[in-house]
Amino acid sequence: MSGADNVVWLGTPAFPEAARGALADTRLRANLRRATGTIRDKRLKAAAELHDWEELRERAAAVKRRTLRHLDHHLLRLEKAVTAAGGTVHWAADAADANRIVTYLVKATGESEVVKVKSMATQEIGLNEALSDAGIRAYETDLAELIVQLGGDRPSHILVPAIHRGRSEIREIFLREMGEWGRPAPEGLGDDPRELAEAARLHLREKFLRCKVAVSGANFAAADTGTVAVVESEGNGRMCLTLPDTLITVMGIEKVLPSFADLDVFLRLLPRSSTGERMNPYTSLWTGVTEGDGPTNFHLVLLDNGRTATLADEVGRQALACIRCSACLNVCPVYERTGGHAYGSVYPGPIGAVLTPQLVGVEHAASLPFASTLCGACYDACPVKINIPEVLVHLRAETVEAKRRGRFLPTVEALAMKAAGSVLSSPTRLAAAQWLAALAARLVARDGRIGAMPGPLARWTGTRDTPAPPRESLRAWWRRTKAVNETEGHMSVKEEARR
């Protein structure tokens, strides 16, 4: 299995091409601006309520750093605790391994359908498609994931997968597709959020009562007790985690925490950072199996899928601290204008730009580390203080090195950087280059704006409204004003002497 197959959808098309299409979609941009702005404002208000918010962030970051340094130790402790509590632990090296394990476990029950809790890990490995190929139908129960599934779509946001859809679009999807998946949408369905939620509730209820197998992800798992945690806002997850006979949880190995007590800080940070709430409406915790309470069979699939390789990178490994809150997406100016589909991966936005290239190899996701302005807003918003700009710059360097390897001739970027270095190292050459560039820009300027430039520069000017440069450069202005000031200073000294 190639690295590029570890995460579904990657690079089809690459970010620059996909982003151009997204930028032309005015409805998409309006939906994104409205949704991210609302969530962003709620997060700021919720975080401001806590006087120790920054201390919580520091504590969470410290826990994650310690855990990642001794990840193997904590995973073995988790396996021992889950097994002691009556669960079964499976180790999956990659997506194919995880899909094989889950498919086998479902088939062993004799069932041909499963209900699913919203899970980034199962999206990462393409589990729904793998189950479908094996004749098993998976039903998404999270409202946004249901919208995406019924629409034959892809998630575009970590927290709100259907953020790119408006209410009228959702209504059309429900009316058109629900009947093909089960109970049809009510006749005369409107686009009021309450009506849409009620239609989803009625559609899903029969599945909750019928399905004997559920598949979930995990937000956290405590190594000392074997307790697994899932947080959600609708209650659909709670139904999946309690009603079926068999529960299969697919969890990235980085989700483990050393102790149950560590949940305290993360359960205070996560809801405020994701939904702007003080706490999640539904926080489900379970430890193995308990007779007469919940599923009678529990399987925990621990997924690597590129995480061990990421752990080996001392700079890049901090991306594994992500708790999937989506705060970085909601403050990112690039994501707000392009949406999640442009990233070509299940992990969109700033965290996707640093996580996906490491999971699959930078050579397979070369454009993602450049899908950022490096403004630093993501770092400021991250509840576990992942320095995303630092990792982006680090991965950009790795991308350049990956392009150089195995080449006899230098890349275009290398030639451009060498030329730039030559110009910037000489004040004379820099002054000449500035003068020529300003002259050329003024020649093509119309009404004070730079028009279409020739050659490769056309890609820059074609998407920007750039003012024409002034006739006098900063360097020329400085020389002129400095000379005048020095002359006036000399005159003042002479006049003072005459007095």
Side-chain angles (χ1 to χ4, degrees):
M1 185 177 195
S2 69
D5 294 328
N6 287 354
V7 179
V8 293
W9 313 324
L10 180 68
T12 312
F15 182 84
E17 182 181 346
R20 277 193 289 273
L23 288 170
D25 189 337
T26 56
R27 182 164 63 173
L28 171 66
R29 295 180 64 179
N31 290 344
L32 289 168
R33 183 169 57 252
R34 180 171 58 254
T36 56
T38 300
I39 300 172
R40 185 166 58 239
D41 292 341
K42 288 179 66 179
R43 182 190 67 83
L44 289 172
K45 291 177 182 178
E49 292 178 351
L50 296 182
H51 70 279
D52 60 345
W53 179 253
E54 290 304 317
E55 294 176 18
L56 284 173
R57 293 180 69 208
E58 289 287 354
R59 285 176 57 192
V63 170
K64 282 293 188 177
R65 283 196 299 270
R66 291 198 304 271
T67 305
L68 291 175
R69 280 199 298 268
H70 306 287
L71 187 58
D72 54 343
H73 170 68
H74 296 304
L75 288 171
L76 291 175
R77 291 175 62 223
L78 176 64
E79 180 185 33
K80 183 177 179 180
V82 170
T83 303
T88 304
V89 176
H90 309 264
W91 298 83
D94 53 28
D97 205 12
N99 289 331
R100 179 186 56 78
I101 292 169
V102 176
T103 301
Y104 170 80
L105 292 174
V106 176
K107 284 190 171 184
T109 67
E111 298 293 322
S112 60
E113 57 184 9
V114 301
V115 285
K116 287 188 67 215
V117 186
K118 177 185 175 185
S119 164
M120 301 294 291
T122 59
Q123 292 170 7
E124 174 187 328
I125 63 177
L127 179 61
N128 286 10
E129 293 77 10
L131 290 176
S132 178
D133 291 342
I136 301 167
R137 200 167 199 185
Y139 300 109
E140 297 289 351
T141 64
D142 175 84
L143 177 56
E145 290 287 356
L146 173 65
I147 295 167
V148 169
Q149 184 177 51
L150 293 179
D153 204 350
R154 301 180 303 182
S156 63
H157 191 276
I158 290 176
L159 176 66
V160 194
I163 196 173
H164 56 291
R165 295 291 193 183
R167 290 185 299 176
S168 60
E169 293 177 280
I170 296 170
R171 172 185 173 274
E172 292 171 6
I173 290 171
F174 280 9
L175 289 172
R176 185 178 66 247
E177 300 294 339
M178 269 188 172
E180 297 296 322
W181 289 77
R183 178 169 177 161
E187 293 184 9
L189 178 67
D191 63 0
D192 180 78
R194 291 186 181 182
E195 288 188 63
L196 296 172
E198 178 65 10
R201 187 184 71 84
L202 295 173
H203 175 77
L204 291 170
R205 178 164 292 276
E206 62 177 4
K207 295 179 172 57
F208 290 136
L209 297 175
R210 186 181 70 238
C211 291
K212 302 299 182 183
V213 182
V215 176
S216 84
N219 291 98
F220 310 103
D224 59 343
T225 63
T227 303
V228 183
V230 164
V231 297
E232 37 115 8
S233 300
E234 301 167 7
N236 297 332
R238 178 70 57 82
M239 301 283 277
C240 291
L241 297 168
T242 56
L243 291 178
D245 295 331
T246 299
L247 173 60
I248 303 168
T249 297
V250 181
M251 186 188 89
I253 56 176
E254 80 280 14
K255 298 294 185 69
V256 66
L257 297 175
S259 72
F260 187 87
D262 292 323
L263 285 170
D264 169 61
V265 62
F266 292 99
L267 291 180
R268 283 194 280 167
L269 283 171
L270 180 56
R272 285 178 166 86
S273 298
S274 58
T275 59
E277 297 171 293
R278 295 184 180 93
M279 65 180 293
N280 289 98
Y282 294 89
T283 299
S284 299
L285 305 172
W286 69 96
T287 306
V289 296
T290 302
E291 186 176 355
D293 183 14
T296 56
N297 299 290
F298 171 55
H299 298 270
L300 177 62
V301 181
L302 295 175
L303 176 69
D304 188 326
N305 205 37
R307 287 160 174 80
T308 299
T310 302
L311 193 64
D313 188 325
E314 293 185 2
V315 177
R317 72 170 62 149
Q318 58 185 300
L320 295 177
C322 176
I323 59 175
R324 310 293 191 264
C325 69
S326 77
C328 61
L329 279 70
N330 298 325
V331 299
C332 178
V334 176
Y335 175 86
E336 184 178 312
R337 287 158 178 80
T338 64
H341 292 163
Y343 292 82
S345 168
V346 68
Y347 301 110
I351 189 61
V354 296
L355 184 58
T356 300
Q358 295 188 88
L359 294 181
V360 305
V362 292
E363 66 275 15
H364 299 296
S367 65
L368 288 187
F370 297 90
S372 170
T373 64
L374 298 180
C375 68
C378 51
Y379 183 29
D380 293 336
C382 179
V384 291
K385 305 193 75 169
I386 301 172
N387 193 338
I388 294 177
E390 178 187 39
V391 183
L392 285 168
V393 173
H394 171 67
L395 293 177
R396 289 180 182 187
E398 287 198 355
T399 301
V400 172
E401 289 302 317
K403 288 183 178 179
R404 288 176 179 173
R405 287 194 291 268
R407 292 179 62 99
F408 294 102
L409 297 175
T411 63
V412 175
E413 292 94 334
L415 291 173
M417 290 299 104
K418 187 173 183 179
S422 175
V423 171
L424 294 173
S425 64
S426 167
T428 302
R429 287 194 289 268
L430 177 60
Q434 288 177 325
W435 182 83
L436 288 172
L439 177 62
R442 286 197 297 271
L443 290 175
V444 298
R446 298 292 184 275
D447 299 324
R449 301 286 174 179
I450 295 177
M453 296 285 281
L457 295 176
R459 298 180 63 181
W460 175 272
T461 56
T463 55
R464 291 166 176 82
D465 189 16
T466 309
R471 292 190 172 278
E472 186 177 37
S473 67
L474 174 63
R475 184 185 296 271
W477 173 86
W478 176 260
R479 282 199 301 266
R480 178 174 59 78
T481 56
K482 184 179 180 182
V484 170
N485 290 337
E486 288 179 350
T487 302
E488 291 178 350
H490 289 312
M491 291 177 65
S492 298
V493 171
K494 290 179 181 178
E495 291 174 0
E496 187 65 32
R498 281 199 298 270
R499 291 177 182 174

